[in-house]
Amino acid sequence: MTMGTKMILLGLLLLIIGLLIGMGLLTTIGSILIVVGVVLWILGATGRAVGGRKHFF
């Protein structure tokens, strides 16, 4: 599981929890994590180095 995938899953989890309990901060953080995860996932899929590394382990 790549770093981007982990961030997307964590973002979805926080987004769902934030929506269920009505906490705006969790919803905001979840949304930001989803966006960052998608960007990392796309950059990793194209083979570009992210943060000076080609692969995150």
Side-chain angles (χ1 to χ4, degrees):
M1 192 179 279
T2 64
M3 183 69 133
T5 308
K6 289 179 184 178
M7 289 186 78
I8 293 170
L9 291 176
L10 179 62
L12 280 173
L13 180 67
L14 289 175
L15 183 68
I16 291 170
I17 291 172
L19 289 173
L20 287 176
I21 64 173
M23 192 169 188
L25 182 64
L26 283 180
T27 307
T28 304
I29 292 172
S31 301
I32 291 170
L33 281 178
I34 290 172
V35 170
V36 170
V38 167
V39 168
L40 286 175
W41 182 54
I42 290 172
L43 288 176
T46 60
R48 292 190 53 113
V50 179
R53 305 175 119 196
K54 271 199 169 209
H55 303 284
F56 285 92
F57 297 103

